[in-house]
Amino acid sequence: MKLPYSDSINTGYLARLFDNTSECYKLFWFKAIVTAVGNDKQILTYEELIDKMIADAWYMVTEYHLSLGPKDSLQAVIELMNSRNPELKSSEKESVIIDYLANVNDKEILSKKHTLTYNVPYRLQAPFLTDLKGKAWNIPTADLAARINQGDKLIYYFEAINGLASRIIVNDEWADYIKKNREIILGWIEYHMIHYLQKRNPSVPGIADKLYPPQERKLEKVKKYWKMVLSVEPVREIYNNQMLTDKDISIDHFVPWSYVAHDEFWNLSPTTRSINSSKSNNLPNWELYFPRLVRLEYQSYKLMWKYDIILKEFNKCAKEHINNIDIQERLYKEGLSCDEFTKQLETVIRPIFNAAHECGFNWNWEYKDQII
């Protein structure tokens, strides 16, 4: 992905910012700078940039359990905040996270915020500083900042080195370039972020959909399909084994959406609103609930091939909610026995279920007050 050219500044150096990214700080630090400059701010404190970094990474770590690196300090401060402040939701607004950080008195959180100031503010601009090599970087931060300030046409310069209160000033020419090309630059950062996260989360699907809180999901076609099934035969949902009605029906992701990041039909089943809320982002007890899922899905499969009106609704769903032709042909072709259907469904879901478990999603969830 190419960045826009400029006659007045060296965009070649900019393009190399993430050449040696062993940890995620560079990505989030520069993204915070670009966002601030886009909002007409050029004098920025370390603390406001770090607070923005934490807010930007908050959702992907707390909701999706994405790993930012083996011993990542940004992830460490987020996990500490999350453990000590259960009232902060994974989908919390950025302004709430930043307001919390601006007023926090927790010494350990403040210490971890301070850790984030050690290297990246200085090393981000290494491509511009070709004469700084090896041990030349290993000097006190105030001296290092003074040395970097001698560079020509850097993105930013250091004003006052004082822990979290340290300040940077973004070069006017770079500020103009960033404002003019803000969306392209943010897209370029996101491109590198996706590649970075995919390397550190190789078993996690849909990384690109896990960077930000999701838009409202559209499951109306799936809900309409199950209501059509309900109109033909009684249906029991799988967690409480209770009979469903078309007045209280909600669509559940068997493997949580926050892991799969899709609305594929084979991972969806009808339940009630309260049970869906209770299950939340947990993985259900496989031994208990997968056989029930099979029973429910095979019931709808048989009805689909028995009644044209249900097949018609299924085909409407398939256009939007079955995006793998191979899976559609294996799972939904006519004439499958229950055993064949079970094997096919397990082949599709079990690897994803196991991978979500390995990524830290709570598992073996069971619905309380269960009706057998």
Side-chain angles (χ1 to χ4, degrees):
M1 183 175 179
K2 289 186 177 182
L3 290 165
Y5 175 76
S6 171
D7 290 325
S8 60
I9 52 179
N10 194 326
T11 56
Y13 288 148
L14 174 65
R16 292 175 50 209
L17 283 193
F18 308 129
D19 281 359
N20 299 300
T21 303
S22 58
E23 297 189 25
C24 70
Y25 311 152
K26 286 183 181 180
L27 294 155
F28 286 98
W29 173 262
F30 188 54
K31 182 184 177 186
I33 291 173
V34 171
T35 302
V37 171
N39 292 326
D40 293 321
K41 292 192 69 176
Q42 286 180 239
I43 301 176
L44 307 163
T45 68
Y46 283 13
E47 185 159 35
E48 65 184 293
L49 291 171
I50 286 166
D51 289 353
K52 181 68 166 69
M53 290 166 62
I54 293 169
D56 280 343
W58 175 263
Y59 190 75
M60 65 180 72
V61 172
T62 60
E63 177 74 5
Y64 301 133
H65 306 283
L66 292 184
S67 171
L68 303 184
K71 296 181 179 179
D72 187 88
S73 297
L74 180 57
Q75 182 171 338
V77 69
I78 290 171
E79 289 177 344
L80 180 64
M81 285 172 55
N82 193 37
S83 67
R84 293 187 175 176
N85 300 276
E87 72 279 5
L88 292 175
K89 304 185 294 293
S90 61
S91 58
E92 203 66 77
K93 291 182 179 179
E94 177 183 296
S95 59
V96 175
I97 300 295
I98 289 177
D99 185 61
Y100 167 83
L101 288 164
N103 296 285
V104 68
N105 293 314
D106 187 305
K107 291 183 178 179
E108 192 173 356
I109 291 176
L110 290 171
S111 175
K112 289 187 180 298
K113 282 178 61 174
H114 188 75
T115 300
L116 292 169
T117 70
Y118 289 167
N119 293 310
V120 165
Y122 313 99
R123 290 183 179 267
L124 177 75
Q125 300 189 94
F128 293 79
L129 306 162
T130 55
D131 59 335
L132 263 179
K133 300 181 185 298
K135 294 182 180 179
W137 290 96
N138 300 328
I139 59 177
T141 53
D143 297 335
L144 181 58
R147 173 68 185 82
I148 292 172
N149 278 350
Q150 296 173 28
D152 183 43
K153 289 192 176 182
L154 300 182
I155 299 172
Y156 58 85
Y157 292 86
F158 301 93
E159 186 177 52
I161 301 302
N162 182 23
L164 289 168
S166 301
R167 293 192 299 274
I168 65 169
I169 302 176
V170 179
N171 176 296
D172 287 341
E173 289 179 291
W174 276 105
D176 290 342
Y177 176 83
I178 289 170
K179 289 176 187 176
K180 182 180 178 181
N181 302 291
R182 180 176 179 272
E183 295 305 320
I184 295 174
I185 296 170
L186 287 174
W188 174 72
I189 296 170
E190 182 175 303
Y191 169 81
H192 283 278
M193 193 173 291
I194 290 168
H195 279 268
Y196 175 90
L197 291 169
Q198 192 66 73
K199 287 179 181 178
R200 282 149 186 80
N201 302 270
S203 65
V204 177
I207 289 291
D209 295 317
K210 292 179 163 66
L211 301 185
Y212 314 105
Q215 300 296 317
E216 184 178 355
R217 298 192 290 278
K218 297 179 180 179
L219 296 172
E220 288 308 310
K221 289 182 181 177
V222 180
K223 190 180 291 186
K224 188 176 179 181
Y225 169 82
W226 280 105
K227 285 183 177 181
M228 184 65 68
V229 172
L230 279 172
S231 71
V232 174
E233 275 189 8
V235 172
R236 291 185 181 274
E237 65 84 48
I238 67 175
Y239 300 117
N240 194 30
N241 207 29
Q242 75 181 63
M243 209 70 75
L244 287 171
T245 70
D246 61 3
K247 291 184 172 58
D248 184 18
I249 187 169
S250 180
I251 303 301
D252 168 65
H253 292 70
F254 190 77
V255 179
W257 187 95
S258 54
Y259 178 75
V260 296
H262 63 57
D263 299 315
E264 291 296 291
F265 189 80
W266 44 264
N267 189 50
L268 303 174
S269 70
T271 186
T272 67
R273 295 182 186 90
S274 62
I275 294 173
N276 203 357
S277 176
S278 176
K279 178 173 174 279
S280 187
N281 289 329
N282 295 304
L283 287 165
N285 181 309
W286 179 271
E287 300 301 327
L288 177 60
Y289 294 121
F290 180 71
R292 295 186 184 184
L293 179 68
V294 170
R295 181 185 67 197
L296 176 60
E297 296 293 335
Y298 192 65
Q299 177 187 4
S300 86
Y301 167 84
K302 289 191 299 180
L303 293 174
M304 177 181 78
W305 289 111
K306 184 176 181 180
Y307 296 100
D308 288 342
I309 191 170
I310 295 179
L311 180 60
K312 183 179 179 181
E313 289 302 323
F314 170 81
N315 287 332
K316 290 178 183 178
C317 285
K319 290 179 181 179
E320 188 171 330
H321 297 286
I322 303 179
N323 292 293
N324 185 308
I325 299 301
D326 177 63
I327 289 178
Q328 182 168 352
E329 290 177 350
R330 286 193 288 125
L331 256 182
Y332 301 108
K333 65 181 179 181
E334 191 172 6
L336 292 177
S337 68
C338 186
D339 285 345
E340 289 170 327
F341 185 87
T342 301
K343 289 176 183 176
Q344 293 294 348
L345 188 59
E346 183 167 8
T347 298
V348 173
I349 293 184
R350 190 64 193 249
I352 300 169
F353 184 97
N354 291 345
H357 176 215
E358 291 170 5
C359 284
F361 280 77
N362 292 329
W363 71 309
N364 273 346
W365 174 86
E366 294 184 21
Y367 183 68
K368 307 302 181 186
D369 305 320
Q370 200 175 94
I371 301 171
I372 303 299

